[in-house]
Structure formats: structure tokens, C-alpha cells
Amino acid sequence: MNLEVKIVEVGPRDGLQNETRSLSLADKERLVAGLVDAGLTEIEAGSFVSPKAVPQMADSGPLLERLPRPAGVRYRALVPNRRGMEAALAAKVDEVAIFASASETFSQRNINCSIAESFARFAPIMEMAGAEGLPVRGYLSCAFGCPYEGAVDIRAVASVTAMLLEAGCYEVAVSDTIGIGTPGDVRRMLADLLTDVPAAKIALHLHDTRGQALANVLAGLDAGVTVFDSSVGGLGGCPYAPGATGNLATEELVFMLEGLGVRTGIDIHKLAVAGEGISRALGRRTSSKVAAAMRAAGEIGRRADTVSSRTAGPADPVGMPAMSDLPS
Amino acid sequence: MNLEVKIVEVGPRDGLQNETRSLSLADKERLVAGLVDAGLTEIEAGSFVSPKAVPQMADSGPLLERLPRPAGVRYRALVPNRRGMEAALAAKVDEVAIFASASETFSQRNINCSIAESFARFAPIMEMAGAEGLPVRGYLSCAFGCPYEGAVDIRAVASVTAMLLEAGCYEVAVSDTIGIGTPGDVRRMLADLLTDVPAAKIALHLHDTRGQALANVLAGLDAGVTVFDSSVGGLGGCPYAPGATGNLATEELVFMLEGLGVRTGIDIHKLAVAGEGISRALGRRTSSKVAAAMRAAGEIGRRADTVSSRTAGPADPVGMPAMSDLPS
């Protein structure tokens, strides 16, 4: 597949915002530095929302100040309002994101206002971003279903997407907030959405709550979408708690893309190590199956210099030794 | 998608054969009865291989004797040789499966003979099956990669598939034994394989070692394959051990198929409950994300009469309550 695909790493923001265990600034700094070292260039590193609502993101300012700033790496942050935008500008982010919902009830419960009212709050953000020449991304929450309303109308997705683009967003990340969509939903939605909007303006932000995220990416790719969000280590959920709602693991996404012939430029070993590191800080194992398989095969640690577990030495045993005496 | 898709449930065989914790006959009986009750009709219930090599399958005969035999349900078992076939016939299975490998080294290490020699062992099986009018399925191990050889030649897959069909198998389950394939591999392989073999003779048997299995199913569906193997609860791996190598979870497969408009006839609630039951017997949680999400949403237990979590009452909250005050 001769495609350019952009991976937006949202682990440091979407992956961590929900965590109950508090992380040190050093933990987060180590995570982002590891992601940069692995080759990720688009990293959502923080969120300038109320620290009362999302305590895990309270140190986004100090974090962004401490991060390395190599050429080609862009840090992003979520901003809900003018005050958040001021903080984001002070932290010298490269891009901001606003968030609207495809569901009225979710909008009310999440940000205490209607969808229409949320756009009034975006106006000063867009104005400030315009003045600074900062790109603004739009998130569209609950595009595949809402925890309160259930099914979400495909036309609501199209209409709020259009509103975000008209407001000045360069791209809308259509988000499966509750991880309920299937490739069938992705196909139906994109068939509708892409009649009005070029695929280049759409990203997919998928949670793996029901294990569908990677298949949904494939359906998105087939429909022409080339920007996908993911979280290293599948951050955002806990494999030990029922109902884990993590993002799609970046390792799984990279592994699939490389297998599809898409060159991601990402060192999957370093990526897996970064995911293991932050998972350890959170007191658990990585939720990435790719990372777990690499660890089991001894690929992590001893070959950190190679680019991909696919391209590097296929002669290595990559399965479970115990499988060797079992059929199929 | 106006498709007929056949799901072959391999949890009781492929899912359990690798387990170190020994299960009682009652545990296995409960599992299969639960699968039947959930609507699965094609169930690989056992394996007549050496009990020394695979102790978990030593009671396949007694298990098959105790199982309910409702109309429309077909039990399958793996047979390696004439002796296994005799035991399978005595247990009144509805179908048997033989297994060959696309990799010479895997064949040697797994069944102590070359690929060519393995076909000599199949001859009496095929003869006995023919005499009894019993369908024989062929498994092709290591079709996407080998734990010893690494990459496996696509032409080896085509050639051993052809040998299995020529030997009399009605279908070949092309198997990603080590769970290393991506949708790119599935597409490349099927593009090659289906030039010689009709899609109706090919099944895909995918392990989810690197989280690619469901995306691989989607690629397979798109290429015309309509038979897929899976294990309830993602049996076959352990989420708590590094390098889990479970099969694709049947719950995830059913959820995706229903979302694609394929009517599976399977009660996903009962399926998830069966997966939780056997996982509990194995001392762990289910590896199915669909099942975990249903449990978290309180969908299991109180609505066991409904057919699918997608079609049943979308007004139920299906996400994590904690997500409600967090963006996207």
C-alpha cells in the first residue's frame, strides 16, 4: 500500500486522563521522550481543562515546558475555552484541539452545555489560534454511539463535523468514545460523511473497548482515511478491570500498517519499551499484544536497534515455545 | 453485508489444549453445553492425539460421549493418525480434521515427520472417513510464519493447501499459528491462493497474538472467505502472562459480523457467559473485550434473553461511567 499514514499518539493525554493512579511529572516526561525517540512526531501531550475535572492533566503546562523539542516533533493539547487556550499558548504547543459531541446528552454531561453552546466557546479559541497561526483540530465525541443516548444518528455526525470544519478546524477526529463501532459502522458513516467532506479532513479516533479498533482502522484506510489516533501500550484502560476502555494500542497500529506496506518510520521496539515503562508506572502490564508478544519472544531489550519485529530477523522464534508440540 | 458466514468454535480444542491447569470433564461439558445454548453449531470439541503430548485432550472421548446432541449441532475433533481416527469414530464425531504444516521445520518439531510423510499418515484417515461418509477438514499450520523458520513462502501455503484438498479435505483452514499475520499478509496470500482454489474451500484460523486477528478476518471477508475459527473468551492465551497467544475471541468476531450486517444467530450474552465460566475455571478473567465490556455495562446477567448487545436496547449506558466527564 503506497500510502502516507499519520499516527497521532494520544496516550499522554487521552490514555492518561482517566487514570486514578497519579503519575509524576518525571513519569510523563519519560513517556513522551520515549515516544519521540521511537519516532512518533504527532503527540497529544496534555490538556488544559479544569484540573478539578481532570486532575491527571493538571501538570500539562510544566510537562510541555520540560519536553524535548527536536525538529519535526509536534506537541498538541486539548483546550476547552479561552483560559485553556491562553495556557496552551504559554506552553508553546504546536497545535490545539477543541472537542464537540455528536450527542446532545453527552455534550451536556461532559461539558455542561449544548452542542450549539459549545461552539460559542470555540469562537475565542479559533480567533486566538488564527492570530498565532496555530492549527486547530476538532474532536467529535460519541460519533459511533453515546453512553447516554445509545445509537447516534449518522446525520448528526455529518452535521457537527461540518460545524467544526466551518469553525476553522483543519481536520475532524471522528471518535468512537465508547468503542462500540464495527467496520460496518465505519463504512456506513464514511460513505455518508465523505460525500460532503474530503477524506483528508477526517481522522479516526478509536477506542478498543470491544476489540474492534484495528479492524475499524482497516475499514477507514479502505475508505481513504489516512490519519489515526492511538495510545502506546493501549493506555486508557486497564486489562485487570472489567470494562477496560483503552485506546487502540499504537504498537498494534504500527504492526498492521507495516504489514500493509505503509512505512511508519517508527521503531516498534522502542515504542513497546515506552509502553511497558508507562504501564509499569501505572502498576500493570502493557495492554499491547504486540508488546507482550515481543517481550515473550525476547525481542525487547536485545534488539532495540532494529526497526520492526517484522523486518528484523524473521528467523527468531516468535511464538510460544509451548506451542511447538501442539497442532495448528 | 448479505453474507452467510460460518463460525467454527475451536475453544474447547485449540483454546484448551495448551492449558497447564487441568480442567474437569464437568468444566468442559459445561463449556460446550453453553456454546450450544448460545447458538454455535460447529464446535471442535476435542483431539484424539497422544495424551502424553496433549494431556488436556486426553478425555475427548468421554467428553464427546456426554455432550448433548441437538439437531444442527456438529462436533469436530482433530485426528493425527489411524488410531486417533478409530477413537474419533467411536466417539461419534460429525467431522474430523487433519493437520499439516506449511513449514518443514514446524512439521518435524510438531509431529516428528516431514510434510510429505505427514500425508502418508493421512491416507488411512481419509479412507476410513470416506467409508463412514465423514467430512474431513485440513488445517494448514504456520501459514503466516513459523516459530522456527520465520517467514513462510506463499507458494508453500498454496502447495500444501492443494495437497490437503487433493487428499480429500473439503476445506482447508489456513492457520496463523503464531498470530503474526497482518491484513496485508492475508490479502497477499489470498490473492495468490484464490487463483487456484475457490474461496468456499478456504477457512481462516487466526490467533490474536499481536492483536491483528479481527482485522485479518475483515481482510479475509473482503477477499471472499466466509469461514472463520475462533475461541470463546479468547481461550488459548493468558492475559496475565506475557506473550499470550489466544485465538481470536468468538465474542469479538460475532460483534463485528453483526455490525457488518451478518446474522450469526448467536446470542452474544450467552456466549460471553460461557466464556466467563471457562475462564473462571482456568482461574482468570475472560480475554474477550466484548465480554468484559458487557460485564462492565451490566449487560450480562440481567438481559441474557436478548440476542445481541448491539440490537438490544441501545439506550443502555454502554461506556464507562468515569468517561462521562472526560473529552473524546
Side-chain angles (χ1 to χ4, degrees), chain A residues 77-88:
Chain A
L78 227 59
V79 294
N81 50 32
R82 178 194 295 273
R83 224 172 82 191
M85 185 63 175
E86 281 163 2

Side-chain angles (χ1 to χ4, degrees), chain A residues 263-282:
Chain A
R263 299 277 80 88
T264 62
I266 291 167
D267 183 326
I268 200 166
H269 293 85
K270 290 183 176 178
L271 182 64
V273 169
E276 284 193 332
I278 188 68
S279 300
R280 208 176 304 119
L282 290 165

Side-chain angles (χ1 to χ4, degrees), chain B residues 119-165:
Chain B
F119 277 83
R121 296 187 193 169
F122 301 152
I125 299 175
M126 302 311 295
E127 204 176 307
M128 292 163 79
E132 300 284 335
L134 217 60
V136 182
R137 182 188 222 209
Y139 276 104
L140 180 63
S141 301
C142 295
F144 293 85
C146 166
Y148 312 109
E149 295 185 11
V152 164
D153 188 356
I154 266 184
R155 292 315 302 170
V157 172
S159 121
V160 186
T161 296
M163 287 164 73
L164 284 164
L165 292 172

Side-chain angles (χ1 to χ4, degrees), chain A:
Chain A
M1 207 179 272
N2 203 356
L3 259 186
E4 292 261 331
V5 172
K6 189 193 282 184
I7 297 175
V8 179
E9 169 63 47
V10 297
R13 196 278 303 174
D14 199 23
L16 297 183
Q17 66 180 9
N18 212 7
E19 286 295 336
T20 46
R21 184 187 288 218
S22 131
L23 289 170
S24 71
L25 204 49
D27 284 332
K28 295 182 184 179
E29 197 184 350
R30 202 173 301 119
L31 167 64
V32 178
L35 295 169
V36 168
D37 189 44
L40 285 155
T41 55
E42 302 289 335
I43 301 174
E44 203 170 71
S47 182
F48 292 96
V49 293
S50 153
K52 258 189 273 177
V54 192
Q56 278 286 6
M57 293 294 112
D59 58 1
S60 289
L63 175 63
L64 277 153
E65 225 166 86
R66 289 168 69 153
L67 290 179
R69 297 277 184 160
V73 171
R74 302 177 67 252
Y75 294 119
R76 304 161 170 223
L78 227 59
V79 294
N81 50 32
R82 178 194 295 273
R83 224 172 82 191
M85 185 63 175
E86 281 163 2
L89 288 175
K92 298 199 173 52
V93 299
D94 299 294
E95 179 174 327
V96 293
I98 58 176
F99 43 99
S101 170
S103 148
E104 276 294 351
T105 313
F106 190 82
S107 187
Q108 287 290 355
R109 303 248 196 140
N110 187 34
I111 51 177
N112 297 310
C113 66
S114 71
I115 295 171
E117 283 162 354
S118 71
F119 278 82
R121 296 186 193 171
F122 300 154
I125 298 175
M126 302 311 294
E127 205 175 305
M128 293 162 78
E132 301 284 337
L134 217 60
V136 182
R137 182 188 222 207
Y139 276 104
L140 181 63
S141 300
C142 294
F144 293 84
C146 166
Y148 311 109
E149 295 186 10
V152 164
D153 188 356
I154 266 184
R155 292 315 300 170
V157 172
S159 121
V160 186
T161 297
M163 287 164 73
L164 284 164
L165 292 172
E166 275 160 33
C169 294
Y170 76 94
E171 169 182 289
V172 174
V174 176
S175 305
D176 189 2
T177 308
I178 58 173
I180 196 153
T182 69
D185 299 302
V186 172
R187 286 173 180 172
R188 281 185 289 275
M189 170 182 301
L190 291 177
D192 182 80
L193 197 56
L194 299 183
T195 56
D196 300 326
V197 179
K201 289 188 178 299
I202 300 297
L204 284 173
H205 175 102
L206 303 163
H207 286 245
D208 201 35
T209 318
R210 288 161 187 83
Q212 310 288 307
L214 200 61
N216 289 345
V217 168
L218 188 63
L221 278 170
D222 287 345
V225 173
T226 58
V227 183
F228 300 94
D229 295 5
S230 60
S231 284
V232 67
L235 287 177
C238 171
Y240 298 87
T245 59
N247 286 84
L248 169 61
T250 308
E251 294 90 325
E252 269 78 322
L253 177 59
V254 168
F255 192 84
M256 182 175 85
L257 289 174
E258 294 281 338
L260 284 164
V262 176
R263 299 277 80 88
T264 62
I266 291 167
D267 183 326
I268 200 166
H269 293 85
K270 290 183 176 178
L271 182 64
V273 169
E276 284 193 332
I278 188 68
S279 300
R280 208 176 304 119
L282 290 165
R284 56 176 185 256
R285 285 188 200 281
T286 176
S287 292
S288 161
K289 291 188 173 185
V290 166
M294 287 170 59
R295 170 64 63 187
E299 286 182 23
I300 297 183
R302 78 181 151 83
R303 301 194 310 185
D305 54 325
T306 56
V307 170
S308 142
S309 74
R310 295 187 59 79
T311 53
D316 278 72
V318 283
M320 295 286 285
M323 292 187 66
S324 64
D325 54 1
L326 293 169
S328 70

Side-chain angles (χ1 to χ4, degrees), chain B residues 72-160:
Chain B
V73 171
R74 301 177 67 252
Y75 295 120
R76 303 161 170 223
L78 227 59
V79 295
N81 50 30
R82 178 194 294 273
R83 223 171 83 190
M85 185 63 175
E86 282 163 0
L89 288 174
K92 298 198 174 52
V93 298
D94 300 293
E95 179 174 327
V96 293
I98 58 177
F99 43 99
S101 171
S103 148
E104 275 295 351
T105 314
F106 190 83
S107 186
Q108 288 290 355
R109 302 249 196 139
N110 187 35
I111 51 178
N112 298 311
C113 66
S114 70
I115 296 171
E117 284 162 355
S118 71
F119 277 83
R121 296 187 193 169
F122 301 152
I125 299 175
M126 302 311 295
E127 204 176 307
M128 292 163 79
E132 300 284 335
L134 217 60
V136 182
R137 182 188 222 209
Y139 276 104
L140 180 63
S141 301
C142 295
F144 293 85
C146 166
Y148 312 109
E149 295 185 11
V152 164
D153 188 356
I154 266 184
R155 292 315 302 170
V157 172
S159 121
V160 186

